[in-house]
């Protein structure tokens, strides 16, 4: 998803803008550009494609200044071309705008401006903002921006420069994250902390409705009426090293191998082995409030929706409370049954996914208590929920979610354990589950040591055109997750299915060219999965089986075996996900795909 960077200070601005945009490449984009004020006029440099293309344009046609804005665009209105890249300029060339989000009344505004004689040079909604601010400009850039925003419907994170009111960047936030990086004699604006961390740890997260006026030695946040509002200064606690590749070929591989540590960090200080329970300080629900919950809704998107399915099974199995899992994009437009005894769990790695944020707001409007399971500290969902459980998995840069998924499952297990021990889970069973969780980091490490086996299997199937992933019970969501991993980074079509459901259609797909991945830990439904493997083999399907022990029943049924350690059923997805992540990774690398920034994908989908 698009990235915004801005700088006001004494240093040459172009290198800082380029560096900031590179730190945000992982968010996904297809064009980039900068606008720089050189003391006299605004200069714009843009390019379709990666930032390297923009650097070439700048090398051929340099620009110098100490104030500027930059943008990486993930195309929504209009193809990823130079003319559609941001920044966009006003007709008189004195205003420059970069924008994340969608202006929903763009056609009305464009027609009104065309009536006034404005000529449009792009297909974007953002260009409307540039001309509108020019039309309303009367000496003060922030007043022109405030006035323009009263006419805009939709979402935005935007930054504006002007040569007619120079020395400042005006920023505005509604639905697309923005923060101020507070320096000494210099200030930054960015979409996420990674873009400014090399220069400052002090950040001010803007809220929806905030407008910021940023100068080199000061900043202020104002509301729609230009009244100053105070926003606290937060501190970024993680280090640049955590957002570097650290010797790995790709961020995704680094994050897969970080999982023993990231899962450990998710549990740190929260697992109470002796009492067989969990301590979760941030959920902001008293003992009585927890006991009053009589139904749970879990809403999320993508990989986070898969972990939600696992959470559903955990909570229903151990707490005996009904759970509904909802795609956030569906939930927000349904007429769901919600009461003040509903707990709405909102799962999001980025904490900025537009559909998930909207679903949480809808659940709140209907009286539910909301609980965010979020990785990015200070993100919008984390700041708007009623309570939360941070994943503490560390920054996840690869677009394909890996360590966030396993940390989400562990966080859900912690929450389930805490809730179940308030209902009818015995301390004995609680201790067993707590111990099983405690053992996970070492077990994940054991699985990672099979990476070469998995790479060899990837070599065998790198030219496959279709994959089936099958599992039952807790392994069904794992099958869905394995399929998503493969298709989103290798572009091979892959489908996850409940293993038994294969007989009701997908079995027609199976032949001696079809690889079928079975997630078959020795759990409560293992024997049933064995039957499905037999059915697959009878049709000459090529079986890749993830299992936990030597099993006579599987003899002669497995083409390729991946062994994982045994754990309790509800935690098996944490261990089974790791080989599936590696399988997808190695196949994608062998196919020459862009693993960390797959085509068409964004790390955080902040538009509907
Ligand atoms: C997962 O690999 C994908 N990148 C995607 O499905 C992602 O899980 C989804 O967009 C939700 O993102 P979130 O967890 O940040 O809300």
């Amino acid at each position: 998803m698009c990235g915004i960077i801005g700088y006001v200070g004494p240093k040459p601005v172009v290198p800082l803008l380029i560096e900031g945009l590179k730190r945000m490449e992982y968010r996904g984009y297809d064009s980039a550009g900068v606008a720089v004020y050189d003391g006299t006029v605004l200069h714009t440099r843009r390019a379709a494609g990666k930032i390297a293309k923009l650097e070439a344009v700048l090398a051929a046609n340099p620009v110098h200044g100490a104030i500027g804005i930059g943008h990486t665009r993930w195309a929504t209105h209009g193809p990823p071309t130079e003319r559609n890249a941001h920044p966009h300029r006003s007709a008189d060339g004195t205003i420059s705008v970069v924008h994340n989000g969608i202006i929903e009344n763009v056609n009305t505004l464009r027609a009104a401006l065309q009536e006034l004689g404005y000529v449009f040079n792009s297909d974007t909604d953002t260009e409307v903002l540039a001309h509108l601010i020019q039309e309303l400009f009367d000496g003060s850039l922030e007043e022109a921006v405030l006035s323009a925003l009263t006419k805009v419907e939709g979402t935005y994170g935007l930054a504006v420069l002007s040569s007619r009111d120079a020395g400042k960047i005006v920023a505005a936030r509604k639905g697309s994250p923005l923060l101020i990086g507070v320096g000494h004699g210099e200030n930054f604006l960015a979409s996420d902390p990674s873009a400014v961390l090399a220069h400052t740890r002090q950040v001010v997260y803007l809220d929806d409705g905030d407008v910021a006026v940023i100068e080199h030695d000061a900043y202020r946040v104002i509301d729609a009426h230009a009244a100053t509002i105070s926003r606290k200064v937060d501190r970024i606690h993680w280090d640049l090293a955590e957002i570097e590749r650290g010797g790995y070929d790709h961020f995704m591989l680094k994050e897969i191998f970080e999982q023993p540590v990231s899962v450990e960090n998710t549990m740190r200080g929260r697992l109470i082995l002796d009492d067989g329970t969990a301590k979760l300080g941030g959920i902001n629900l008293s003992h009585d409030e927890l006991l009053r919950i009589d139904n749970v809704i879990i809403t999320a998107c993508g990989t986070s929706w898969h972990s939600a399915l696992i959470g559903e099974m955990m909570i229903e199995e151990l707490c005996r409370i009904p759970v509904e899992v909802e795609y956030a994009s569906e939930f927000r437009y349904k007429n769901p049954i919600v009461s003040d005894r509903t707990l709405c769990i909102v799962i999001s790695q980025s904490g900025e996914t537009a559909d998930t944020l909207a679903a949480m707001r809808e659940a709140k409007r209907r009286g539910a208590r909301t609980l965010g399971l979020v990785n990015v500290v200070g993100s919008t969902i984390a700041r708007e929920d009623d309570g939360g459980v941070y994943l503490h998995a560390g920054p996840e840069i690869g677009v394909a979610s890996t360590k966030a998924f396993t940390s989400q499952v562990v966080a859900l297990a912690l929450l389930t354990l805490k809730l179940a021990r308030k209902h009818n889970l015995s301390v004995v069973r609680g201790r067993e589950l707590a111990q099983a969780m405690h053992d996970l980091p070492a077990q994940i490490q054991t699985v990672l040591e099979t990476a070469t086996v998995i790479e060899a299997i990837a070599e065998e199937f790198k030219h496959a055109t279709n994959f089936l992933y099958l599992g039952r019970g807790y392994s069904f969501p794992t099958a869905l997750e394995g399929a998503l991993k493969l298709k989103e980074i290798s572009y091979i079509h892959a489908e996850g299915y409940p293993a038994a459901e294969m007989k009701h259609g997908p079995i027609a797909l199976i032949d001696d060219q079809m690889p079928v991945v079975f997630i078959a830990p020795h759990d409560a439904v293992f024997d049933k999965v064995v039957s499905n493997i037999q059915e697959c083999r009878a049709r000459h399907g090529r079986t890749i089986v993830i299992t936990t022990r030597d099993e006579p029943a599987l003899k002669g049924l497995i083409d390729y075996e991946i062994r994982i350690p045994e754990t309790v059923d509800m935690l098996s997805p944490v261990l089974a996900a790791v080989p599936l992540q590696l399988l997808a990774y190695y196949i994608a690398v062998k196919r020459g795909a862009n693993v960390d920034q797959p085509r068409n994908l964004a790390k955080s989908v902040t538009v509907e």
Side-chain angles (χ1 to χ4, degrees), residues 301-304 348-350 353 399-401 408 484-485 488 605:
C301 301
T303 283
S304 301
S348 176
Q349 188 286 132
S350 63
T353 300
V399 166
S401 194
Q408 286 166 357
L484 175 62
K485 284 294 90 63
E488 69 175 331
V605 183

Side-chain angles (χ1 to χ4, degrees), residues 26 64 268 396 423 565:
Y26 74 91
H64 304 286
R268 192 179 306 284
E396 185 176 73
H423 285 272

Side-chain angles (χ1 to χ4, degrees), residues 412-455:
L412 285 161
L414 287 166
L415 178 64
T416 302
L417 189 58
K418 178 184 180 65
L419 207 47
R421 291 280 287 117
K422 290 185 180 300
H423 285 272
N424 47 20
L425 188 73
S426 70
V427 63
V428 172
R429 183 65 181 136
R431 282 177 182 154
E432 286 170 4
L433 295 175
Q435 187 58 51
M437 293 171 73
H438 178 268
D439 296 343
L440 283 175
Q443 292 181 314
I444 295 171
Q445 189 56 46
T446 302
V447 179
L448 290 170
E449 285 156 15
T450 68
T452 50
V453 170
I454 296 163
E455 185 170 10

